[in-house]
Amino acid sequence: MLCSCRSKAKLLVVTLLLLTTVTWLYLSVGDTEFGFYRTCKTGTWFVSLYRRNPLHLHLITDSVAYHILGNLFHTWMVPSLKISFYNASELKQEVSWIPNKHYSGIYGLLKLTLTKALPSNLTKVIVLDTDITFATDIAELWSIFRKFTGQQVLGLVENQSDWYLGNLWKNHKPWPALGRGFNTGVILLLLDKLRLIGWEEMWRLTAERELMSMLSTSLADQDIFNAVIKGSSSLVYQLPCFWNVQLSDHTRSEQCYSELADLKVIHWNSPHKLRVKNKHVELFRTLYLTFLEYDGSLLRRELIGCPNGEPHGGQEAALAQLDEEDPCYDFRREGLSSHRVHLSFLPHQSPPPDPYDVTLVAQLSMDRLQMLELICRHWEGPMSLALYLSDAEAQQFLRYAQASEVLQSRTNVGYHIVYKEGQLYPVNLLRNVALRNSQTPYVFLSDIDFLPMYGLYEYLRKSIEQQSIASSKTALIVPAFETLRYRLSFPKSKAELLSMLDMGALYTFRYHVWEKGHAPTNYAKWRTATTPYKVDWAPDFEPYVVVRRDCPEYDQRFLGFGWNKVSHIMELDAQEYELVVLPNAFIIHMPHAPSFDISKFRSSENYRVCVQMLKDEFHQDMSRRYGSAALKYLTAERNR
């Protein structure tokens, strides 16, 4: 039963806190099976699936996680969900003095600082670890706050392992705890009362006293919470254990429920995560993995029948203005689509500062996934790749990447997932996602079905330095070739490439179907060139270029096939970029089946009409932006 606007008494703002940092993107060192993406998506899924109330998430993050999560929640547009971020680096000093052996590191201690970290007008909060799966409406857990009496300020579930009993191995000495102690993966905190009783001083004094003999924490914040409770048991309200069913190899979690329907919260409370021992673990794992593959756009459904005033309302208004009888309605509707985006889907390292470094920027869908290993063998530099995938395909990609020794060995590749929405491939949106998230001063704007020549990365870095393009608007062109053979002995030099060109094993790119796309590169001159040379823009020119990262972005109105790169090169020319061909660089296009969009372009007259419509509108916009300087583009279009 959904809440209505008239039944405001039923509306409940549920406030959560997730301790989310880069260290916790993967919850234990080397643990790639239970990554932060999975935690974030399933956590949102399970909480949002069952909820009937607004949610307010408070997230403590570092700067990298803030960038990833901020973009994620902005693009997912989950209704009635408010997000607040807090800077973890400002809180580290509060707990950095505490030695901690737990795999969470310093971030596992930040729960202790919540009375200080969160706004003073926030009176209560549910604190969740990121490896939590909800199986019920979180409002049920929130309602337990009403059961707190007397001095109770903490709601916790008893620990389900024997850790605090001290009998796991010989000479095992845990921190002091009340009986079995309590697990802090799920906590109900009455912040206002905690502040009144001087929580900050209380936990600090306790930690200082115990560290004199214990020397470090083994379970991070949990040790300190339990030591405080040991001395002040009246502070805790014991939650029924089905609110934190702790899965690990040494717990009594199965005693928490007689029927699986009794479960409220599943806590993957182990570095092993999905590989823990429990007689129902296969069912839990299946439930978890099934939700990972569900269509995340379903989270955008309005669960509460009240206007929420969220920013995507403008998109809905624009969609309402479209004419469904327009033959190009699909192009216009999908041009307004807001795609869900998850940046840095897999962990990667930022490249060290280098004034001449260059990132290969490309986009792909599931049918081009096999190109990744090949490109990794040809390009050793950083890459920023946007992948257009469904939720289920994202999980297939994850498994593929984890099973690939080549991909696992690369730490300088950023994978950014753009989730499928509609029928037309948003090629320029994908390029822009990859471009915006490159982290070097220069970018090589390529396509995923091209293999760079061996050594191209170093050659481009040297060319960038020699051409001094840092202070000029210059686009360095990398000449493109193609082969029709699925098995190719890849040329190791320009001389070898020219020989294969003469023998018919290679061709200049698209010379037989779209010669004008690359003809201005002047391949005849390139054959004998030993120094870079300038070329002029020409209609339909679409070379692959190296430019500064702050170059103009691609025009996102172009979807599917047609004019997506042409429009970008025209924009560069309009902004007076010089086009300079590199004499000793090349890339080779590898053969593959035609994409759905190119097949549609070839077979559908209406598709081609709509592409022409987009071209006309682009020309009009160019005229408005660049005035008389854009006349040459209109003239060239009319003289075709």
Side-chain angles (χ1 to χ4, degrees):
M1 187 178 226
L2 300 182
C3 299
S4 69
C5 291
R6 294 179 182 176
S7 58
K8 290 188 177 180
K10 296 181 181 179
L11 293 178
L12 173 68
V13 178
V14 179
T15 306
L16 311 177
L17 180 133
L18 290 86
L19 292 173
T20 308
T21 66
V22 162
T23 300
W24 281 33
L25 292 182
Y26 281 73
L27 292 172
S28 65
V29 177
D31 179 15
T32 57
E33 186 172 7
F34 203 92
F36 176 76
Y37 161 73
R38 293 180 167 214
T39 327
C40 185
K41 184 183 176 186
T42 51
T44 306
W45 247 117
F46 281 106
V47 172
S48 294
L49 177 68
Y50 300 108
R51 71 175 174 127
R52 297 172 182 169
N53 303 283
L55 293 174
H56 187 169
L57 269 63
H58 297 263
L59 296 106
I60 295 178
T61 67
D62 66 7
S63 59
V64 176
Y66 171 76
H67 175 65
I68 295 169
L69 290 171
N71 182 273
L72 186 148
F73 284 111
H74 175 73
T75 59
W76 282 53
M77 298 190 304
V78 180
S80 303
L81 178 66
K82 183 177 180 181
I83 312 293
S84 296
F85 287 96
Y86 307 88
N87 191 343
S89 63
E90 297 176 358
L91 298 170
K92 286 182 183 180
Q93 61 183 0
E94 301 292 326
V95 294
S96 59
W97 56 275
I98 303 174
N100 178 28
K101 294 180 179 178
H102 192 258
Y103 58 77
S104 61
I106 192 173
Y107 300 103
L109 297 163
L110 290 180
K111 293 179 197 174
L112 298 165
T113 71
L114 298 186
T115 52
K116 183 174 183 178
L118 298 178
S120 58
N121 60 352
L122 188 62
T123 60
K124 51 189 174 183
V125 65
I126 297 174
V127 184
L128 302 176
D129 280 357
T130 52
D131 53 352
I132 292 291
T133 297
F134 265 80
T136 190
D137 189 344
I138 196 171
E140 291 183 44
L141 181 58
W142 185 267
S143 67
I144 294 178
F145 276 117
R146 296 197 296 267
K147 298 182 180 181
F148 283 30
T149 59
Q151 296 180 314
Q152 290 171 343
V153 290
L154 306 169
L156 293 162
V157 170
E158 185 180 52
N159 203 43
Q160 289 155 29
S161 78
D162 291 343
W163 178 270
Y164 287 110
L165 298 180
N167 58 10
L168 291 183
W169 58 79
K170 187 178 180 180
N171 299 323
H172 174 216
K173 184 184 178 184
W175 276 55
L178 191 66
R180 306 188 69 87
F182 295 91
N183 183 277
T184 56
V186 177
I187 317 176
L188 273 62
L189 289 183
L190 282 180
L191 293 171
D192 51 352
K193 288 189 176 182
L194 280 167
R195 293 179 181 116
L196 285 174
I197 64 174
W199 169 252
E200 290 180 39
E201 183 179 11
M202 184 182 297
W203 74 256
R204 283 178 180 276
L205 290 174
T206 301
E208 289 171 355
R209 182 183 68 245
E210 298 301 331
L211 283 170
M212 292 178 68
S213 58
M214 298 302 299
L215 304 181
S216 67
T217 61
S218 295
L219 300 182
D221 67 287
Q222 187 165 292
D223 285 337
I224 298 174
F225 270 102
N226 275 288
V228 171
I229 293 168
K230 174 74 172 178
S232 304
S233 60
S234 60
L235 298 178
V236 69
Y237 174 88
Q238 184 168 337
L239 299 170
C241 68
F242 50 67
W243 282 112
N244 185 354
V245 177
Q246 301 148 36
L247 302 183
S248 73
D249 296 339
H250 305 288
T251 62
R252 302 159 59 249
S253 58
E254 294 166 16
Q255 299 178 22
C256 280
Y257 54 92
S258 55
E259 301 288 338
L260 293 177
D262 297 337
L263 288 170
K264 302 290 187 181
V265 172
I266 301 167
H267 184 186
W268 301 90
N269 187 38
S270 164
H272 301 300
K273 302 306 174 189
L274 302 186
R275 300 186 297 275
V276 297
K277 296 176 182 178
N278 177 288
K279 67 180 180 180
H280 297 122
V281 73
E282 286 300 325
L283 184 136
F284 298 153
R285 184 187 296 129
T286 299
L287 177 69
Y288 171 76
L289 295 177
T290 298
F291 271 83
L292 277 178
E293 298 191 355
Y294 272 26
D295 182 357
S297 65
L298 296 177
L299 290 175
R300 293 174 169 178
R301 294 177 302 175
E302 185 64 66
L303 300 182
I304 302 163
C306 303
N308 54 42
E310 294 179 355
H312 58 286
Q315 177 196 357
E316 294 173 358
L319 288 169
Q321 297 297 315
L322 298 181
D323 179 6
E324 294 188 20
E325 300 301 319
D326 182 347
C328 298
Y329 171 76
D330 288 342
F331 277 85
R332 298 194 183 280
R333 176 176 54 81
E334 295 196 26
L336 294 171
S337 293
S338 177
H339 293 268
R340 295 176 292 124
V341 179
H342 187 105
L343 304 177
S344 301
F345 184 76
L346 297 179
H348 69 283
Q349 296 177 358
S350 299
D354 181 339
Y356 307 114
D357 206 0
V358 57
T359 295
L360 188 151
V361 170
Q363 44 72 38
L364 67 150
S365 52
M366 197 68 181
D367 58 341
R368 301 288 186 265
L369 205 59
Q370 74 281 358
M371 289 297 299
L372 290 179
E373 288 188 346
L374 284 172
I375 289 180
C376 283
R377 292 188 174 101
H378 281 249
W379 177 272
E380 63 270 27
M383 288 189 275
S384 180
L385 306 175
L387 294 84
Y388 192 56
L389 305 173
S390 67
D391 296 75
E393 288 172 342
Q395 298 312 303
Q396 295 175 40
F397 164 67
L398 181 63
R399 292 190 288 271
Y400 171 80
Q402 290 173 347
S404 168
E405 291 184 9
V406 174
L407 301 190
Q408 286 294 301
S409 68
R410 293 294 294 269
T411 60
N412 60 350
V413 181
Y415 301 99
H416 314 293
I417 305 295
V418 178
Y419 288 93
K420 286 184 175 178
E421 192 83 26
Q423 300 300 313
L424 295 168
Y425 189 76
V427 58
N428 279 357
L429 165 67
L430 295 169
R431 288 184 172 125
N432 285 340
V433 168
L435 173 59
R436 291 170 197 150
N437 291 283
S438 59
Q439 298 178 350
T440 57
Y442 301 94
V443 288
F444 172 34
L445 305 177
S446 185
D447 274 336
I448 201 67
D449 42 11
F450 280 88
L451 287 182
M453 72 176 200
Y454 293 113
L456 181 61
Y457 171 59
E458 286 300 327
Y459 177 76
L460 291 182
R461 291 178 71 255
K462 291 176 182 176
S463 298
I464 289 167
E465 181 178 8
Q466 292 167 358
Q467 294 298 307
S468 302
I469 68 174
S471 57
S472 64
K473 289 185 175 181
T474 302
L476 303 178
I477 295 173
V478 178
F481 299 84
E482 68 176 329
T483 178
L484 302 182
R485 301 177 182 179
Y486 283 89
R487 291 187 177 183
L488 175 72
S489 178
F490 200 89
K492 297 179 175 60
S493 64
K494 177 177 179 177
E496 193 173 331
L497 178 138
L498 292 175
S499 176
M500 296 173 71
L501 200 62
D502 293 336
M503 295 173 60
L506 292 176
Y507 305 90
T508 56
F509 185 55
R510 292 293 187 256
Y511 88 100
H512 54 299
V513 293
W514 186 246
E515 185 177 3
K516 62 179 67 176
H518 292 265
T521 299
N522 195 343
Y523 288 100
K525 183 171 183 177
W526 183 82
R527 293 180 70 101
T528 59
T530 57
T531 58
Y533 59 92
K534 294 180 183 179
V535 295
D536 294 327
W537 173 87
D540 298 315
F541 194 23
E542 52 177 5
Y544 294 95
V545 297
V546 176
V547 288
R548 294 198 313 249
R549 187 179 56 188
D550 63 356
C551 70
E553 292 190 351
Y554 290 84
D555 193 302
Q556 293 181 189
R557 82 186 80 198
F558 292 103
L559 305 161
F561 179 81
W563 247 59
N564 44 74
K565 291 193 299 291
V566 171
S567 58
H568 187 245
I569 296 300
M570 187 182 294
E571 187 90 37
L572 293 180
D573 183 69
Q575 294 196 15
E576 299 181 338
Y577 274 71
E578 283 190 340
L579 303 174
V580 178
V581 180
L582 295 174
N584 293 304
F586 61 85
I587 53 176
I588 298 179
H589 181 265
M590 305 305 291
H592 55 73
S595 67
F596 171 80
D597 288 287
I598 194 170
S599 300
K600 191 82 169 173
F601 179 86
R602 291 170 177 170
S603 63
S604 170
E605 181 180 357
N606 185 67
Y607 194 110
R608 295 191 295 273
V609 167
C610 292
V611 171
Q612 183 62 49
M613 171 204 71
L614 296 176
K615 288 167 59 176
D616 293 341
E617 293 176 358
F618 177 76
H619 276 298
Q620 293 170 16
D621 288 343
M622 289 284 283
S623 296
R624 280 191 287 269
R625 286 201 300 272
Y626 301 107
S628 59
L631 287 176
K632 72 173 184 179
Y633 308 119
L634 281 171
T635 302
E637 181 72 15
R638 291 168 183 164
N639 290 338
R640 292 176 55 169

